[in-house]
Amino acid sequence: MMKHLHYCLILVLTIVSQLAYAQNTGTITGKILLVDGQPYAAASVTLIENKKGTLTDEKGIYHFYNVAPGNYHLKVQVLGAPEHIMDVTVAAGQTVTSDYQLPKENVQALQEVNIAANTNKFSKKESRYVARLPLKNLENPQVYNSVSKELMQEQVAIDLGSISKNVPGAGVPMIANQGRVTFRSRGFETEPNARNGVAGAAFSTIDPVNLERIEAIKGPSTTLFGTSISSSYGGLYNRVTKKPYNDFGGEVSFSTGSWNLNRLTVDVNTPVNTDKTALFRLNAATTHQKTFQDLGFTNNLTIAPSFSYQVTDRLSILLDVEFSQEKGTSVVRFNPFTGNTKNVSVANMGFPYNRTFLSNDLTYSTQMMNIFAQANYKISDEWTSQTIISRARSTINGYITALAGRTDSTIRPQVIVGNTNFIATDVQQNFVGDFKIGQFRNRMVVGLDFYNNFNDFDRVSVNAPDINFLNPSTSYRISRFKIDSLASRGGTPRKEKNRDNTYSAYVSDVFNLTDNLLAMASIRVDRYQYLGVYNVNTGQTAGGLGANGISVGPYKQTSISHKMGLVYEVSKDQLSLFGNYMSGFFNRSGQSADGSAFKPEHANQLEFGAKSDLFDHRLSATVSYYDIKVKDILRDDPNETLNGYSIQDGTQLSRGVEVDVTANPFTGFNIVAGYAYNYSKYTNADPSVDGLRPGLSGPDQMINFWMSYRLPEGNLHGFGAGFGGNYGSKSFHTNTQTTKITIPAYTIFDATLFYDNPKYRVSFKVNNLTNEKTWSVRLTPQAPAQFIGSVALKF
């Protein structure tokens, strides 16, 4: 009994002493605001005398508790802005408030702007990655589209293909084996290979659970991003991941729907230390779903932790990891027979829409881990150092399948069995400056980049017996037993390792000629070293295979690319006119008849248009015209057809118009819409395709739209509905002078109902309301009507 009384006495004395201490100390609080009055999250605030620091929360608010009475100095540090010192006086038992709004000329913080709820919540255009500079969208001469997590959430988008519906010109996503997804951009195939602005390729399914937004950066972009992530001359997709914030919160959600969909996601954020300078966030998801076809499934798990630490008021560190593993069956990939002269639509070929022809035991398993580490150090008020290390690894085991047409009525399943590894390392050092020369403002990035790529193949390719897909026999289905038996007897082996290194240096400067007129100039030099192929069976290092399948030895290539642009803001921060001329390149291997070396393939883009951000962010739009010319394309040497040599004189043209609009006509009503027209053709190529639109380039016209209304007040505040759709004109799988295999035009509509309040969210979605049949450019049948229900609990 006495022991318990003793503990109670100690507890009472502790509480009393704490209360007494609190009455003899004070509190400092305040809010850090952006230039437009919006709160700035993650600003560093330091109490100099006590050597204590903290970060502002998502509302821009900071706190210092239990501060002894006296005079103090607060230091506010924001990247790209001069430090600011505030004087405060603390009195016992009192709270002193000290706010600060960033001056107009400092725009680095605008990259974190949060649009207020009563304006267009989908209009979040500002990006620190597109130009690698503190540059607003209206100041950037390059076009890019942004899909925010708010739009993904409203549309119940659970995969990258659903997200890309909001990008003008993206088209029907092409799902390759292992869930790898590609899109169209200005007539070229484009992959989501960038992550937070650096290389982050994944040869597997990429779950969107940790995405803050997707940025579709348009046009050849190797000047700032290099070839490691610039997947095409049409542009690149950058995955911006969720970052930790200075508060505790998160949500847990569960989704279910058609074809046994079961999906669980978790998002938890918490400060790690009492000063809230160390922050941790965990996003995770697991999804299981069968396909709409007779067989097929996927089962995956993604874990994505993120940790940030404000080490000092000048130094911050971010560690961001993506880990996923998946087991599933390959999607149908149909390569029709092209041996006869024909002009036919895939819809009329008789190929079954709902059959896979393969068994559920022909599975692949993938494991992907991407690690991203970044250190930012504020050298001075004008210069910041940014050091980045990115490591991407994808491993594939099992069976990769395709269906190759043998005649107009038969197919031959082709299966790759074995193991494949892709490992890439990117080390990057940037120095970012924002300074004046006289009265002229300069924003500059100077960077060095090292990229190493390593690929490892240990697999064998086999052909299964032909199948009549119009009238298959009762034993047509290809099983794992059949494939293993064929693989044990031979097949075509691939047992090799190959690697390459790229060393790069670049500089980009944005120079304000006046407050409304600015010019951009950028240049990049790349030194590419292809190190050859190590054959595991022979133990020898030799060349890889060139464009025509002949051996090509190790080689080196040097490339120079540029980017120039002009922007004139007709109305400051509301309307700008822009133009750009920029280039891109890719290293190509091959062998010429005279033994001369080939140079990298190049493309140049000329583009101009207008950008707007009007009526307090209620109308944001971009309209542009582009003209892309690709030259130095390798093609078969017409004079050396028997020897397999190449010549480098091929050219290709791609030009078009793009429109991107987000609008909030009145409170609660939002619109996202886009239009893309693309004219592409080979202008100097093999006679079989010369003058024709390239196959796999997608529709020449595409439309996307989404509109939704959410009740802004009343008893049903938070209840809403959305409706949208996508249209694509007829396109080509194969387009030659003798054979044209077309994909029909499509119109797909989606709809959703939702109720969203601060504690929970309930959503119901229907994709493809009208059961439209459509195919990707690789002739993969797309899903019919799909129902998804989702419940999320917030905390």
Side-chain angles (χ1 to χ4, degrees):
M1 183 71 177
M2 292 297 296
K3 185 177 181 180
H4 288 176
L5 289 174
H6 176 71
Y7 286 147
C8 290
L9 181 60
I10 292 176
L11 178 61
V12 170
L13 290 175
T14 301
I15 295 173
V16 171
S17 64
Q18 290 293 327
L19 290 173
Y21 181 72
Q23 291 177 350
N24 292 323
T25 60
T27 298
I28 303 174
T29 189
K31 182 180 290 186
I32 307 300
L33 303 174
L34 300 172
V35 62
D36 61 355
Q38 296 294 324
Y40 179 40
S44 172
V45 183
T46 303
L47 188 60
I48 295 177
E49 282 76 10
N50 288 4
K51 297 181 180 180
K52 287 187 175 182
T54 190
L55 299 174
T56 55
D57 61 21
E58 288 192 310
K59 297 179 180 180
I61 297 173
Y62 69 91
H63 298 282
F64 290 101
Y65 298 104
N66 299 323
V67 181
N71 297 320
Y72 294 90
H73 297 87
L74 291 173
K75 179 165 64 174
V76 180
Q77 288 271 33
V78 174
L79 291 177
E83 66 179 40
H84 179 72
I85 305 295
M86 299 183 292
D87 297 330
V88 294
T89 299
V90 177
Q94 302 295 316
T95 297
V96 59
T97 300
S98 185
D99 299 333
Y100 176 62
Q101 184 170 6
L102 271 67
K104 185 176 182 180
E105 65 269 18
N106 300 317
V107 300
Q108 174 76 35
L110 284 175
Q111 317 305 318
E112 300 293 341
V113 66
N114 292 313
I115 303 300
N118 64 344
T119 60
N120 189 354
K121 61 180 179 178
F122 302 143
S123 180
K124 296 186 176 182
K125 288 288 189 180
E126 311 307 336
S127 170
R128 70 179 68 178
Y129 305 104
V130 177
R132 297 193 186 278
L133 287 169
L135 200 64
K136 292 180 289 186
N137 177 45
L138 264 64
E139 297 177 310
N140 196 329
Q142 188 168 8
V143 173
Y144 60 96
N145 315 119
S146 183
V147 183
S148 68
K149 69 175 185 294
E150 288 82 6
L151 184 54
M152 302 177 204
Q153 184 182 91
E154 184 172 284
Q155 294 181 346
V156 198
I158 61 175
D159 57 79
L160 289 186
S162 299
I163 295 169
S164 70
K165 288 181 177 181
N166 302 287
V167 177
V172 176
M174 188 197 83
I175 308 298
N177 291 299
Q178 308 90 43
R180 185 179 180 186
V181 62
T182 63
F183 315 104
R184 306 304 103 184
S185 184
R186 300 188 170 180
F188 300 92
E189 183 177 288
T190 307
E191 301 181 35
N193 281 340
R195 181 166 173 265
N196 295 324
V198 298
F203 293 83
S204 61
T205 298
I206 299 173
D207 195 289
V209 66
N210 67 325
L211 290 185
E212 183 71 26
R213 64 183 180 273
I214 283 283
E215 296 173 344
I217 304 172
K218 298 303 183 70
S221 303
T222 51
T223 304
L224 288 180
F225 295 98
T227 59
S228 59
I229 54 178
S230 293
S231 56
S232 82
Y233 298 123
L236 65 97
Y237 278 71
N238 181 40
R239 311 183 326 262
V240 180
T241 60
K242 296 175 182 177
K243 308 298 189 299
Y245 55 91
N246 185 7
D247 204 354
F248 176 78
E251 71 172 46
V252 178
S253 73
F254 175 74
S255 302
T256 187
S258 302
W259 315 304
N260 290 332
L261 169 67
N262 285 281
R263 175 175 170 83
L264 178 68
T265 68
V266 177
D267 182 358
V268 180
N269 186 90
T270 182
V272 176
N273 59 1
T274 55
D275 292 333
K276 297 186 177 182
T277 55
L279 311 173
F280 177 77
R281 188 170 187 174
L282 176 66
N283 284 273
T286 181
T287 304
H288 173 81
Q289 186 175 27
K290 294 183 178 180
T291 71
F292 69 92
Q293 295 168 308
D294 56 356
L295 288 177
F297 72 96
T298 56
N299 190 359
N300 59 54
L301 170 69
T302 295
I303 300 173
S306 181
F307 175 78
S308 68
Y309 182 36
Q310 189 78 30
V311 183
T312 69
D313 56 2
R314 291 181 176 272
L315 175 64
S316 65
I317 296 174
L318 172 67
L319 178 63
D320 195 285
V321 178
E322 280 179 325
F323 173 83
S324 72
Q325 58 184 25
E326 177 173 279
K327 183 177 182 179
T329 55
S330 298
V331 298
V332 169
R333 189 172 62 173
F334 177 43
N335 299 312
F337 178 65
T338 58
N340 300 327
T341 299
K342 65 180 73 176
N343 188 343
V344 62
S345 169
V346 64
N348 300 323
M349 297 179 69
F351 187 82
Y353 201 81
N354 294 318
R355 270 186 177 157
T356 66
F357 293 96
L358 303 169
S359 300
N360 269 1
D361 60 0
L362 283 176
T363 60
Y364 65 81
S365 60
T366 62
Q367 188 180 94
M368 180 267 288
M369 185 170 70
N370 289 347
I371 300 175
F372 174 89
Q374 175 176 306
N376 291 323
Y377 182 74
K378 188 168 183 177
I379 301 172
S380 66
D381 288 344
E382 297 177 335
W383 286 94
T384 299
S385 168
Q386 181 188 74
T387 305
I388 300 173
I389 300 175
S390 177
R391 176 84 164 179
R393 175 181 61 82
S394 296
T395 300
I396 306 163
N397 286 289
Y399 302 83
I400 303 171
T401 63
L403 303 174
R406 299 290 291 167
T407 69
D408 289 339
S409 61
T410 60
I411 53 174
R412 175 173 292 176
Q414 298 176 328
V415 183
I416 299 173
V417 187
N419 172 270
T420 308
N421 292 284
F422 302 94
I423 302 174
T425 304
D426 195 0
V427 180
Q428 195 174 105
Q429 174 62 51
N430 295 310
F431 295 97
V432 182
D434 189 348
F435 57 94
K436 287 187 176 182
I437 299 177
Q439 297 300 314
F440 301 102
R441 183 184 182 188
N442 280 266
R443 279 163 284 185
M444 178 181 290
V445 57
V446 180
L448 297 172
D449 194 1
F450 168 73
Y451 181 79
N452 170 262
N453 183 63
F454 176 85
N455 301 323
D456 180 2
F457 302 89
D458 183 7
R459 62 196 199 187
V460 60
S461 299
V462 299
N463 292 319
D466 292 357
I467 299 172
N468 186 317
F469 63 78
L470 295 178
N471 296 291
S473 67
T474 56
S475 60
Y476 73 88
R477 195 170 296 280
I478 304 300
S479 68
R480 180 173 182 172
F481 175 79
K482 290 182 181 180
I483 298 302
D484 288 346
S485 177
L486 290 169
S488 67
R489 296 199 300 265
T492 304
R494 186 178 184 184
K495 298 180 182 294
E496 64 184 43
K497 300 177 182 179
N498 62 68
R499 55 196 177 99
D500 55 79
N501 294 323
T502 304
Y503 304 85
S504 309
Y506 50 89
V507 60
S508 180
D509 183 45
V510 175
F511 184 80
N512 276 81
L513 301 169
T514 69
D515 191 43
N516 292 66
L517 177 64
L518 60 85
M520 170 184 281
S522 312
I523 191 169
R524 182 188 189 97
V525 178
D526 268 48
R527 181 61 170 172
Y528 176 76
Q529 296 179 338
Y530 179 67
L531 302 177
V533 175
Y534 174 77
N535 189 306
V536 176
N537 288 332
T538 65
Q540 300 295 317
T541 298
L545 295 180
N548 294 289
I550 59 177
S551 180
V552 178
Y555 62 91
K556 299 178 181 180
Q557 291 179 342
T558 300
S559 306
I560 298 177
S561 59
H562 62 80
K563 178 179 177 182
M564 295 178 287
L566 283 174
V567 174
Y568 178 67
E569 294 192 71
V570 179
S571 178
K572 189 68 176 176
D573 295 328
Q574 295 189 73
L575 176 64
S576 66
L577 304 177
F578 69 90
N580 66 64
Y581 180 67
M582 57 188 186
S583 68
F585 65 91
F586 283 97
N587 302 102
R588 302 301 188 195
S589 62
Q591 193 171 58
S592 62
D594 62 4
S596 60
F598 290 121
K599 55 187 177 182
E601 181 181 284
H602 274 83
N604 292 305
Q605 172 183 275
L606 176 65
E607 182 177 24
F608 56 86
K611 297 181 180 182
S612 68
D613 190 4
L614 305 170
F615 313 119
D616 189 26
H617 306 296
R618 288 186 180 272
L619 176 61
S620 177
T622 301
V623 180
S624 66
Y625 170 83
Y626 62 87
D627 189 314
I628 302 173
K629 291 184 175 65
V630 186
K631 61 179 183 178
D632 302 326
I633 299 175
L634 266 64
R635 66 186 183 97
D636 293 343
D637 189 334
N639 299 316
E640 296 285 350
T641 55
L642 296 179
N643 295 319
Y645 292 117
S646 300
I647 57 175
Q648 192 173 30
D649 66 350
T651 57
Q652 183 180 339
L653 172 68
S654 178
R655 63 167 66 109
V657 175
E658 288 183 344
V659 180
D660 181 26
V661 178
T662 60
N664 175 228
F666 53 88
T667 301
F669 183 52
N670 291 280
I671 299 172
V672 176
Y675 171 75
Y677 169 74
N678 173 258
Y679 171 79
S680 291
K681 71 173 182 177
Y682 291 114
T683 52
N684 186 33
D686 185 89
S688 64
V689 296
D690 195 39
L692 300 179
R693 182 177 181 86
L696 310 184
S697 58
D700 61 354
Q701 295 193 68
M702 285 181 268
I703 298 171
N704 65 278
F705 76 93
W706 180 262
M707 51 188 179
S708 64
Y709 179 69
R710 179 191 304 250
L711 292 173
E713 56 187 3
N715 294 332
L716 293 178
H717 168 64
F719 178 79
F723 178 76
N726 292 80
Y727 164 80
S729 60
K730 183 181 74 173
S731 58
F732 294 98
H733 172 273
T734 302
N735 187 21
T736 70
Q737 300 291 351
T738 58
T739 302
K740 299 182 187 298
I741 297 176
T742 59
I743 303 171
Y746 62 87
T747 303
I748 298 174
F749 296 108
D750 306 326
T752 185
L753 290 172
F754 55 86
Y755 181 64
D756 193 359
N757 71 22
K759 296 296 183 181
Y760 63 90
R761 180 179 65 255
V762 180
S763 305
F764 181 74
K765 175 79 178 291
V766 182
N767 291 314
N768 195 1
L769 279 164
T770 59
N771 272 310
E772 182 87 349
K773 284 187 176 182
T774 188
W775 294 260
S776 73
V777 293
R778 294 298 296 269
L779 303 188
T780 301
Q782 302 299 293
Q786 178 191 27
F787 303 87
I788 301 176
S790 179
V791 178
L793 302 178
K794 308 175 187 179
F795 51 88

